[in-house]
Amino acid sequence: MKKAKKLLALALAMSMTVGLAACSSGGTDTPSGESTAPVGTETETPAAGGEGNKLIAGIVFQEDQFFKLLSAGYQAAADEYGYEIQMTNTNNDQTRETDALNTYLAQGVAGVAISPLNTQTSPATIADVMDAGMKVAICNNSIDAFPGAVASYSADNYSFCHQTGEAAVQFIQENYAADETINIGVIQFKTQIPEQSADRVNGFFAALDEAGVNYKIIADQDAWLQDMAVETAGDMISANPDLDIIYAANDGGTVGSVMAVENAGKAGEIFVFGTDGSEQIVDLLKDDTNILQAVTAQDAYAIGYSTVEALINSLEGNPVDGEGETNIIPGIPLLRGDTEGLDTYLADLQSMM
């Protein structure tokens, strides 16, 4: 993806925010002012791609900073290539994902860019709509569970969380005795997306293992939304007074864990390493509490843009970079003390929103 394309579309990405907000309330969601045909309704289906059908759809499953940026990337690529895109946020509901896909098929949408909710139940419906003639491009997941999809664009969950683990190794070596056992709590999302959560946690701890860090996982809980994580991490802190570090596997878990440490009055005693990037996370990396030490951000905008770009190129009969493959978008390390790096990331982030 060329930087120029991103820059040309930035001003138009603002329209995504309205569309995404509209996607957060009940039913199968579309942008404000657009109607959705009920599933099973007979519709006249335009020819896919080309001049006949310039309507595509973008599906995400959560409304946090990552998915807002990913959706902005969806929108920017659609605008750049002259396509209309309808947005749906399924809010972690498998039934809504299924309904959205079937509805878009009934509407005659030419193709869908989707971050699937999981690799157990999502593939069946995605295979059905592809069999019915709708093109699908995958993001935020491997293509392995979705044969026949145009391509997949994703961060490598193991690798970019290994980067966070490397930052944790340096912090531990600088602040703890070499023979000290570090007590670590984990906040992840294994009941939501098991494979992705496991890859992130395993990547983080692999870096510690490779460096020979002595550690013990004394708590491991699920909490992927900020409010959930504040409560869950708070309970973890109360139950484990000897806790040294919390590793959180996503944006909501990271922010909530930092807030829980601060609420418990444990700043300077418990430190947080996390995942994903946002304005709030940059602020937490810069603040004086010294709780959050490092995260690795996914380039969500590039992931979304690349997914829609591939979808449209496939619809137009043009070559697709990485067709039929999982294409990895590198992570962006964000470290406490790296003011220049944090400021650069924040400026890029704000220009996309």
Side-chain angles (χ1 to χ4, degrees), residues 162-172 273 293-295 335:
H162 190 280
Q163 290 177 259
T164 308
E166 291 169 353
V169 167
Q170 182 174 345
F171 178 85
I172 289 167
F273 292 82
Q293 300 301 311
V295 304
L335 309 173

Side-chain angles (χ1 to χ4, degrees), residues 46-163:
E51 293 301 318
N53 187 356
K54 295 280 189 177
L55 176 63
I56 58 175
I59 298 177
V60 298
F61 62 78
Q62 201 159 279
E63 188 172 5
D64 57 17
Q65 184 74 52
F66 173 82
F67 282 111
K68 288 179 180 178
L69 282 170
L70 188 143
S71 297
Y74 279 173
Q75 184 71 60
D79 292 340
E80 173 72 12
Y81 284 90
Y83 273 67
E84 179 185 356
I85 185 167
Q86 295 185 1
M87 298 285 193
T88 292
N89 184 337
T90 64
N91 289 315
N92 295 294
D93 187 328
Q94 188 65 61
T95 299
R96 293 181 71 176
E97 180 182 272
T98 299
D99 288 346
L101 285 164
N102 286 326
T103 298
Y104 285 136
L105 178 65
Q107 282 184 307
V109 169
V112 172
I114 181 172
S115 175
L117 186 53
N118 62 58
T119 57
Q120 284 76 49
T121 52
S122 296
T125 306
I126 290 173
D128 287 344
V129 298
M130 288 192 295
D131 288 344
M134 188 164 69
K135 286 187 179 290
V136 176
I138 303 294
C139 63
N140 199 33
N141 223 312
S142 168
I143 201 170
D144 294 349
F146 307 95
V150 173
S152 172
Y153 297 85
S154 178
D156 183 276
N157 290 288
Y158 183 96
S159 296
F160 83 79
C161 292
H162 190 280
Q163 290 177 259

Side-chain angles (χ1 to χ4, degrees), residues 164-212:
T164 308
E166 291 169 353
V169 167
Q170 182 174 345
F171 178 85
I172 289 167
Q173 290 173 341
E174 291 174 353
N175 292 280
Y176 296 89
D179 59 350
E180 188 171 354
T181 298
I182 310 303
N183 293 319
I184 302 178
V186 177
I187 298 292
Q188 59 170 310
F189 52 100
K190 58 184 178 291
T191 55
Q192 184 195 32
I193 313 175
E195 305 92 342
Q196 207 175 88
S197 187
D199 283 347
R200 294 182 180 190
V201 173
N202 292 340
F204 176 82
F205 284 106
L208 275 60
D209 292 337
E210 291 161 12

